[in-house]
Amino acid sequence: MGIAREHTQAPGADSIPKAHSTPEEPSKLGAGRFAPSPSGDFHLGNLRTYTLAWLFAHSTGRRMLYRIEDIDQQRSHDSAALDQMEDLASFGMDWDSEPIKQSDRFPLYDEALHWLAERGWVYECYCSRKDIREASRAPHVAPGMYPGTCRNLTDEERHEQCAKLAEQGRKPAIRFNAHAAYEAVVGNDYATNGSHTTAPGLWTIHEDFATYGQQLDSAPSSDSTQSSVPSGYSGPVDDIVLHRGDGNWAYNLAVVVDDLTMGVDQITRGDDLLSSAPAQNFLATALHPWATHTSATTSATTSATPAVHPTRWRYNHVPLVVTKQEMKGHENTDHQLKRLAKRDGAVTVRELGHDTAWAWVARSLGHSECASAPELLQVIDLEAMSHEPVVWTPPQ
């Protein structure tokens, strides 16, 4: 792997107490993971989320793994991947094995897709984005869901659609046939007899952090700390894309296969991804029998952490870092919140400087006195953290 480097332990990490946590049974634990896309420097939102991922993993006694999500080859750069690893290490964050690159794992994704196809759990999709957008406006289709346009086409209709795409120089995408897989998965022992279903077509994940219904168009309240958070979040299973029409692997399949074969069972990421988690977890559950038998699983994990069953995965969907944006037609005192982006000015770790960036992250977590992630781990109470978006105000 071209950019892998030998891992070095963060200073003092061996002696860090696992404070403010309720460790699970060690034999049943998998790992947390860093999973950055190497398309550029980390901005403050990235750094805060990855700091929390490291804290959640270490506070529960899990290992921490590192995955470079470079399936988008045109936007990925080895130099950015190295910079990102150096940034995390500079704040005392470590990981427990050599980083894994998604671009080295394309044959594994192909193997998983073939396994699903053998069971009739995939189909070709000929829809354009416009087709999907227009069909999703139908009253019977949930927002953001694929309406199933291509799911039940006849062989003749598929042949006609393929010919039309070929004339346009396009190829079909490959979708997961969640409807075909659903009955088999929920009725099988490896899906714990459907204990993660709350209604037909719904799937439930273990969500340990996110506050459901969080909206970015409302300002944080003055009392933003919440004492209790729901432990289950349900959402519809969906016919998500596994392989794109442009020939690239889809994020949905890649991350599921990687988490399964790496022994990951704790996923910490931004709460804008909460709604997609049930569909991804359902796909992971469908693929679990494959993952337990593939040789890639044993090579990517230790003997103590084989592929953890997805119904035991724990999710932490943490607040985004946002900026205030003036609303057109309103007084300057009225704002709406929008997700922080690099176009918002000097918001990356390297533009701000490591000291300034870390000071802001530590302050946003309520511990401005902490100079590193290991110091934070000794004092932070993750259960008492605010669940509101974190507002970034550029220095004047």
Side-chain angles (χ1 to χ4, degrees):
M1 300 196 306
I3 64 172
R5 72 175 185 188
E6 185 175 350
H7 168 62
T8 55
Q9 188 81 352
D14 287 337
S15 60
I16 297 171
K18 305 299 184 289
H20 305 289
S21 64
T22 306
E24 300 173 49
E25 186 178 339
S27 63
K28 295 183 178 180
L29 292 177
R33 41 79 156 173
F34 296 119
S37 298
S39 57
D41 292 338
F42 284 145
H43 62 57
L44 288 174
N46 303 137
L47 177 59
R48 190 178 192 273
T49 297
Y50 289 128
T51 299
L52 286 170
W54 188 89
L55 291 170
F56 275 115
H58 280 267
S59 68
T60 54
R62 285 175 167 84
R63 297 176 304 124
M64 193 67 182
L65 304 178
Y66 199 110
R67 181 170 73 234
I68 300 167
E69 298 203 334
D70 61 346
I71 53 174
D72 188 341
Q73 295 283 277
Q74 292 186 337
R75 298 181 65 245
S76 298
H77 307 283
D78 283 357
S79 59
L82 285 171
D83 287 346
Q84 291 172 348
M85 287 188 282
E86 289 174 359
D87 287 344
L88 293 177
S90 73
F91 301 123
M93 286 178 267
D94 57 354
W95 46 95
D96 294 289
S97 61
E98 183 180 0
I100 287 175
K101 293 178 67 177
Q102 286 186 328
S103 57
D104 291 333
R105 297 164 67 80
F106 290 174
L108 186 61
Y109 306 152
D110 191 63
E111 182 184 328
L113 184 62
H114 181 71
W115 188 90
L116 292 170
E118 286 181 327
R119 284 150 184 78
W121 293 352
V122 301
Y123 62 90
E124 291 184 342
C125 177
Y126 314 98
C127 298
S128 66
R129 291 183 180 179
K130 180 181 178 181
D131 294 334
I132 297 172
R133 186 168 57 251
E134 291 179 349
S136 64
R137 293 172 182 163
H140 64 282
V141 178
M145 295 283 291
Y146 178 66
T149 308
C150 298
R151 185 187 306 128
N152 298 314
L153 297 179
T154 65
D155 290 343
E156 182 179 354
E157 289 171 328
R158 292 188 185 282
H159 181 76
E160 291 176 358
Q161 292 295 331
C162 268
K164 289 181 180 179
L165 287 188
E167 291 175 359
Q168 302 169 18
R170 296 170 52 207
K171 293 183 178 180
I174 306 297
R175 286 187 179 272
F176 178 43
N177 193 335
H179 292 70
Y182 190 79
E183 288 188 12
V185 170
V186 300
N188 196 302
D189 288 342
Y190 67 70
T192 60
N193 294 318
S195 65
H196 271 55
T197 63
T198 54
L202 293 181
W203 195 253
T204 301
I205 62 166
H206 290 293
E207 173 56 48
D208 291 338
F209 191 83
T211 299
Y212 309 156
Q214 180 67 60
Q215 300 294 323
L216 285 185
D217 56 1
S218 60
S221 63
S222 58
D223 181 14
S224 59
T225 301
Q226 301 190 17
S227 59
S228 63
V229 179
S231 60
Y233 174 82
S234 297
V237 299
D238 191 16
D239 291 5
I240 51 182
V241 173
L242 307 177
H243 192 265
R244 292 166 28 180
D246 61 7
N248 291 317
W249 291 104
Y251 170 83
N252 291 311
L253 180 68
V255 297
V256 163
V257 168
D258 290 338
D259 286 340
L260 276 170
T261 56
M262 292 172 67
V264 169
D265 72 340
Q266 185 187 72
I267 298 169
T268 301
R269 57 188 187 176
D271 60 11
D272 57 325
L273 298 175
L274 175 62
S275 62
S276 65
Q280 291 170 354
N281 187 271
F282 176 71
L283 173 61
T285 304
L287 278 169
H288 183 259
W290 163 80
T292 58
H293 293 96
T294 180
S295 60
T297 299
T298 55
S299 66
T301 64
T302 68
S303 58
T305 55
V308 180
H309 197 286
T311 56
R312 291 189 9 235
W313 289 5
R314 316 296 299 201
Y315 291 82
N316 299 298
H317 286 89
V318 298
L320 298 177
V321 176
V322 298
T323 59
K324 288 184 177 181
Q325 184 179 46
E326 293 183 6
M327 299 174 64
K328 293 182 179 180
H330 292 71
E331 297 295 330
N332 290 341
T333 54
D334 291 332
H335 298 81
Q336 64 179 358
L337 302 181
K338 68 180 185 69
R339 179 178 178 174
L340 183 70
K342 293 175 184 177
R343 61 179 175 272
D344 292 317
V347 296
T348 70
V349 171
R350 297 196 169 217
E351 288 172 323
L352 292 167
H354 285 69
D355 290 345
T356 299
W358 178 258
W360 184 87
V361 168
R363 186 167 60 252
S364 77
L365 294 173
H367 290 281
S368 57
E369 76 281 6
C370 294
S372 67
E375 288 186 23
L376 261 177
L377 184 60
Q378 297 182 53
V379 297
I380 195 168
D381 184 352
L382 293 169
E383 294 181 358
M385 274 179 46
S386 169
H387 294 79
E388 299 287 353
V390 183
V391 179
W392 157 252
T393 302
Q396 300 298 320

